[in-house]
Each structure stands twice: as C-alpha cells, then as structure tokens.
Amino acid sequence: MASSTSTSPSGDAGNKRWWQGATQQQWGTFRSAYLGWALDIMDLMLFAMVIKHVSADLGFDKSDAGMVMSATLLATAAGGLLFGFLADRMGRAKSMILSIICYSIGTALCGLSDTLGQLMLFRVIVGLGVGGEWSAGSALVSETWPAQHRGKVMAWIQSAFAAGYAAAAIVAAVVVPMYGWRWVFAVGLLPALLAFYVRRHVKEPEIWVNQTRRLSFTETLGALFSVHRRNTLIGLAFTTAAMCGYWGLFTWIPTYLATPVAEGGPGLDLVKSTVWIVIMQVGAALGYVTFGYIADRLGRKKAFLIFFAGSALSVPLFVMIHTPGLLMAFGIVVA
C-alpha cells in the first residue's frame, strides 16, 4: 500500500469508482491474484476435461475418477490451512509463490501417472497448491485494496475462475487430438512462470509488515471457534454446502456433455463441448462480478443468500433439461 487511503475508507474514496486512484502496488496485486486464480483453476479443471481419456488409458471407472477429484478437493482445504498459516508467518506474497509452484509441479506430474494411486497422489499435490493460492491471494488483495471496494475488487478477481475453467476446456480441445491427455497436464506447468512475476512485482501489504506479533495456529483456531464461533460455524456450513454443490456439478459437466444420447447425455463431441463450456463460463463471470457489487451495496450476508437461493432453484431445473440448445442457454444462468 502506498498510502493510508489504501486500507482506510474516506469520503472522497467512497465516491470514486473502485479502480480510480488505485496505486501501482494495488494493481500489481490485482494482476497477480487474477492470473493466479485463472491458472490454478485451469490446472485444477484439466483432469475434469480429460477424465474419459485418462480412465480409458489407466483402466479405472467413474467412481475411481470421483475419488480422485474428491481427494483433490479435500486437499484444497488442507492447502488453504497450510498456506494460510505460512501466509501469516512468512508473508502473503511468499506463500502465494510457493502455492503456485506447488500446483504447477503437481499438474505436470499427473501427466506421468501410470497408476490410479500415482494420479491421486499427484492430484493431491495440485489441490494443496490450489487451496493455498486461494487463501494467500485473497489475503493479499484484501489487505491491499480499500475496504469500501473490497467486494467488487475480489469479485473481478474471482471472475478469473471462469476464465481458467474455459482455458482448461480450450487446452484439452487443442492438445488431446494432437498429443494425447498426458501433454494436457504438461501445459499445466506453465503457471509456474507466474511465480517469478509475483516475486518481482508484488510487495507484502503494510498491514502485515507492521504487525508486531503473529498468532500461532492454535491461537488462530481459538479465535475462530471461541470468539467468533457462531459466525465461523455458520460460514463453514453454508460454504461447505455451496462447494459440494458446485464441484459436484461442474466437475462432471465435461464428462456429461460427452456422454452418448443412448446413455442419457447430449452426446457432444470435443469441439462442441468446449464451445458449450466457454459460453457457460460467460454466465459464471457475470455472476462473480455481479455478486461483488451486490455485496458492497447490500452486505456480504444478503448477497450470499440471494445467490445461494438462486443456485438452489436453478440446479434442479437444469438437470431436468435434455434439449441441447435450452441446456446451453440455461447453463449460463446456472453458472
């Protein structure tokens, strides 16, 4: 942060657009976090894009693939805790760098898998890094941008999630026909280059630098589950339900799109599936950004409940649709 206005609201700042008057450091953290979000989701979703090819080659079924993805997502939770702790001890930017390297290497290793066990191990490494990037990146941005615009800034950064999901579909569509599924994961090593950018261009937030004492992991848990126990438990319950619903749906959408009509799917080929996924992510990006503006206007809780209710209503309707055109149109709403 270049000045005190970076973290404390003022009447002047409140009347400005969120990007007006932003400092060089704020834009540096924004770019780094946006790219980090997009690339970690790309690496995370590459497996979902090539499940059919990987399972056929390594000889496992959909239930095994589900276990691999479940292990990956559980690892993101562990990675959030691990790298979040490191972010408090050694700095947000440094923790973010380590997390990017972690998920990049893990993704590349997936392409070398010869057994289901190896694949699961490497996907756990991916999950640790992805979860770590989420925690370190969100802390870095939240402590650099002013509070009155934080919802909008985080929403624009979160929209990178949609870009990363779409990028994973495009990578798979381009690479699989030419080189096979293993080289899809090799592309996942490229995000490691982002670590060098972060190392050079991103500084630690002043609020972290100026801290005189760092809480231990035990002290942090004590604050969460004693002082703030009610909010912590409610937040965990809602976000756990949201995450289960989201990943339960979007992990399997690429496989569902490729499922033959005779087996209950739309039977789309790789190119058509990719186009469908990219269009759907346009809706996701709009949702991320809209949420941020509503959150800054109505508050985080009301915004969360509005979108949570919308998801609860739209998903059951979505799975009842079988017409490809209508499926695509309503898929934008769901996303």
Side-chain angles (χ1 to χ4, degrees):
M1 294 168 292
S3 66
S4 60
T5 57
S6 296
T7 55
S8 60
S10 66
D12 218 20
N15 294 325
K16 293 181 178 179
R17 303 287 186 181
W18 65 268
W19 63 84
Q20 292 178 330
T23 66
Q24 184 177 357
Q25 183 180 357
Q26 288 169 340
W27 282 121
T29 60
F30 183 95
R31 286 190 294 268
S32 299
Y34 186 94
L35 290 172
W37 246 260
L39 294 173
D40 72 16
I41 293 304
M42 183 189 78
D43 277 14
L44 187 65
M45 294 308 300
L46 286 176
F47 176 65
M49 302 300 165
V50 296
I51 286 177
K52 181 177 70 172
H53 306 282
V54 178
S55 59
D57 198 6
L58 300 187
F60 59 82
D61 56 22
K62 290 182 180 179
S63 63
D64 294 325
M67 286 196 305
V68 171
M69 184 54 79
S70 296
T72 306
L73 296 177
L74 288 173
T76 64
L81 292 172
L82 172 62
F83 285 95
F85 176 74
L86 291 177
D88 280 344
R89 304 300 293 182
M90 62 188 297
R92 281 68 164 112
K94 290 179 181 178
S95 178
M96 187 175 176
I97 290 170
L98 291 176
S99 67
I100 293 170
I101 293 173
C102 180
Y103 73 68
S104 299
I105 292 175
T107 302
L109 289 173
C110 289
L112 303 177
S113 302
D114 291 319
T115 66
L116 178 63
Q118 290 177 355
L119 179 63
M120 185 173 293
L121 172 62
F122 298 148
R123 289 293 295 175
V124 165
I125 296 174
V126 175
L128 289 172
V130 168
E133 201 280 333
W134 289 343
S135 62
S138 59
L140 182 65
V141 173
S142 295
E143 293 176 350
T144 306
W145 284 80
Q148 68 268 29
H149 297 312
R150 197 166 292 152
K152 293 184 283 291
V153 173
M154 286 302 300
W156 278 101
I157 290 173
Q158 188 70 24
S159 70
F161 197 114
Y165 195 114
I170 294 171
V171 168
V174 172
V175 176
V176 169
M178 293 190 296
Y179 304 108
W181 65 267
R182 293 185 183 276
W183 283 98
V184 169
F185 291 113
V187 174
L189 187 60
L190 294 178
L193 298 175
L194 176 62
F196 295 99
Y197 176 87
V198 175
R199 178 68 181 86
R200 183 172 181 178
H201 295 280
V202 179
K203 297 179 180 179
E204 299 294 347
E206 287 183 13
I207 192 173
W208 180 85
V209 173
N210 295 332
Q211 282 180 342
T212 57
R213 191 174 80 88
R214 317 271 186 218
L215 293 180
S216 67
F217 187 69
T218 303
E219 289 174 318
T220 301
L221 289 179
L224 285 172
F225 291 98
S226 59
V227 180
H228 305 290
R229 180 174 59 186
R230 183 174 182 274
N231 283 348
T232 298
L233 293 177
I234 292 174
L236 282 174
F238 269 92
T239 51
T240 298
M243 293 289 278
C244 287
Y246 178 89
W247 290 110
L249 177 66
F250 282 85
T251 296
W252 291 103
I253 277 181
T255 302
Y256 169 70
L257 294 175
T259 301
V261 176
E263 298 178 19
L268 303 182
D269 59 28
L270 187 59
V271 174
K272 289 182 179 179
S273 295
T274 301
V275 172
W276 194 95
I277 290 170
V278 170
I279 292 175
M280 192 172 185
Q281 291 312 302
V282 172
L286 291 173
Y288 292 130
V289 174
T290 304
F291 179 90
Y293 283 83
I294 294 176
D296 276 350
R297 178 62 64 90
L298 300 181
R300 279 62 164 137
K301 184 169 68 174
K302 289 181 180 178
F304 193 97
L305 291 174
I306 289 171
F307 280 83
F308 203 88
S311 299
L313 292 172
S314 62
V315 172
L317 294 174
F318 178 71
V319 298
M320 295 170 61
I321 299 173
H322 299 288
T323 305
L326 186 58
L327 196 67
M328 178 184 292
F330 198 70
I332 296 174
V333 177
V334 174

